[in-house]
Every structure is written in structure tokens, then in C-alpha cells.
Amino acid sequence: MAALAWLLIPLVAVLVATVWGSWAARTRVTGDGSSLADYERFREAMQKSHSG
């Protein structure tokens, strides 16, 4: 029975590492789209020449 336990420990470690690796490598969605569009509009507004 002790030999079976020593065989199960690395198997459980591999399963835990696989789950953690897939969780760490997941694709994350950031909400930068609207923020970047706002910044681009700001840049364009600042680059316009004002005649006065």
C-alpha cells in the first residue's frame, strides 16, 4: 500500500501542475478598447491647429 501512495503522489502533483498551468495561461480580456479610443480622440484634438 505504501508503494501505491508513493506512485500517487507524483500523479497528483502532475494533475495539480496541469490545472495550475492551464489557469495561469488563460487568455484575459482587458477593457482597454474604449480607453485607447478615448486617448486617440484626445491626441487628434490636441494636434488640430487653432487659428485665432
Side-chain angles (χ1 to χ4, degrees):
M1 193 68 180
L4 183 60
W6 281 107
L7 290 174
L8 287 177
I9 291 171
L11 180 62
V12 170
V14 166
L15 290 174
V16 169
T18 302
V19 169
W20 179 82
S22 64
W23 178 79
R26 71 190 186 280
T27 55
R28 297 181 181 119
V29 177
T30 59
D32 288 343
S34 64
S35 162
L36 292 175
D38 291 342
Y39 176 69
E40 186 63 31
R41 283 198 312 268
F42 170 76
R43 278 190 46 221
E44 288 173 3
M46 293 304 286
Q47 288 177 352
K48 288 181 182 177
S49 62
H50 296 285
S51 59

